[in-house]
Amino acid sequence: EIRQFASAMMKRMNVSVEEKRDDDYIVVFSRSTNRLILNEAELILALAQEFQMRTVTVSLDEQSFASIVQIIGGASVLVSMHGAQLITSVFLPRGAVMVELFPYGINPEHYTPYKTLASLPGMDLQYIAWRNTVEENSVAYPDRSWDQGGIAHLEKEEQDRIISSKEVPRHLCCRNPEWLYRIYQDTIIDVPSFMEVVREGLKVKPNLKKAKAASSVHPGRVRDHKCQTSVQAANEAQLTVSWQIPWNLKYLKV
């Protein structure tokens, strides 16, 4: 369904992607106001040298959305800091690789919308996460407004705690000041560790854009689902969940 949606969006924007087997390329998503990759040029050069591919940047501030979709629609690899711009990965061709970068103090296992997206049946994308583990390679902005990661409005003791913390604890989305402080950091990518993570994720140079669509049948929707609660006593309650199984489940080997 997501692939169909992406295809419909591309048609509405008059975007078409011609498959050129001899023109595999890498896209790096560039940001201009926050969550910057401070050594972006070095990262681009390293990617181009490692994979012997043309490497280009795209930017929401400098290009139209349609033009970005067209570029990503033919890419072999998409590299980006964690952020909403990564939803453009729905336009990646099957067999492509998504590399998500996380600033210092951010645990990738706690923020997985794009990892989940890549792993959905029929998306056929390979997902790799890299996180900055070197605090000196990050630049934070405590004096900015609270919604841009600033913490100057907090008590001094809380500011000190956040600054000294090594990892953002699990929290509710999305106004947690420690999360905002860390996610809006700029990052110097440690290229050797980045390349090591990418190599480990790929094992071999990917034979990209040649993966075929997965052909599989999935269970239909669960029907007539009901949830009922009842209080048995002052300190006892009961929760009952019931449903009808999908109509086609008996035909599937599951």
Side-chain angles (χ1 to χ4, degrees):
E1 291 174 340
I2 292 173
R3 285 283 182 198
Q4 290 174 354
F5 167 77
S7 177
M9 285 285 291
M10 293 173 81
K11 287 178 182 177
R12 290 293 293 271
M13 292 186 289
N14 294 320
V15 171
S16 61
V17 178
E18 296 180 10
E19 285 204 16
K20 298 179 180 177
R21 299 286 183 181
D22 59 342
D23 187 32
D24 288 340
Y25 59 90
I26 299 168
V27 174
V28 175
F29 225 117
S30 182
R31 299 176 66 100
S32 60
T33 56
N34 52 50
R35 280 181 244 181
L36 307 183
I37 299 173
L38 295 175
N39 58 334
E40 191 175 274
E42 181 186 4
L43 177 65
I44 290 168
L45 184 60
L47 285 165
Q49 290 176 339
E50 175 74 18
F51 296 106
Q52 295 298 298
M53 288 188 203
R54 183 164 60 96
T55 304
V56 300
T57 62
V58 295
S59 169
L60 286 167
D61 298 308
E62 299 173 6
Q63 293 160 267
S64 69
F65 186 66
S67 68
I68 290 174
V69 168
Q70 181 149 29
I71 294 168
I72 290 177
S76 300
V77 182
L78 175 62
V79 180
S80 172
M81 295 298 296
H82 173 79
Q85 73 281 354
L86 260 175
I87 196 60
T88 54
S89 59
V90 300
F91 301 105
L92 282 168
R94 287 184 169 90
V97 180
M98 182 200 316
V99 185
E100 185 174 14
L101 312 175
F102 290 85
Y104 179 81
I106 302 292
N107 186 341
E109 293 302 315
H110 296 172
Y111 311 94
T112 59
Y114 305 111
K115 179 181 181 180
T116 302
L117 175 65
S119 65
L120 290 175
M123 289 305 293
D124 300 315
L125 298 176
Q126 187 167 353
Y127 176 87
I128 297 171
W130 174 90
R131 67 184 293 189
N132 176 27
T133 58
V134 182
E135 189 169 11
E136 292 73 24
N137 285 351
S138 64
V139 179
Y141 297 92
D143 296 325
R144 284 181 175 173
S145 61
W146 71 268
D147 58 338
Q148 292 292 309
I151 56 175
H153 62 290
L154 301 174
E155 297 289 340
K156 181 66 166 57
E157 184 178 342
E158 179 67 359
Q159 292 184 44
D160 293 342
R161 186 196 66 77
I162 289 174
I163 291 171
S164 62
S165 173
K166 302 299 182 185
E167 182 174 307
V168 178
R170 287 186 179 275
H171 60 92
L172 295 175
C173 186
C174 296
R175 291 172 174 259
N176 181 284
E178 188 169 348
W179 149 254
L180 293 169
Y181 174 76
R182 290 300 183 190
I183 197 59
Y184 279 112
Q185 294 171 116
D186 295 339
T187 303
I188 299 171
I189 305 295
D190 180 65
V191 172
S193 76
F194 169 81
M195 296 310 304
E196 183 179 345
V197 167
V198 173
R199 286 190 208 102
E200 182 65 22
L202 297 176
K203 293 298 184 182
V204 294
K205 181 179 177 181
N207 188 14
L208 300 156
K209 295 196 292 187
K210 296 180 182 178
K212 294 181 179 179
S215 177
S216 57
V217 180
H218 303 287
R221 295 181 183 276
V222 170
R223 299 167 294 160
D224 300 330
H225 46 283
K226 298 175 182 176
C227 179
Q228 295 176 313
T229 59
S230 59
V231 177
Q232 308 297 316
N235 61 346
E236 184 182 350
Q238 188 174 44
L239 172 68
T240 305
V241 180
S242 63
W243 64 91
Q244 297 292 322
I245 66 170
W247 68 270
N248 63 342
L249 198 64
K250 60 186 177 182
Y251 304 110
L252 303 178
K253 295 179 179 179
V254 296

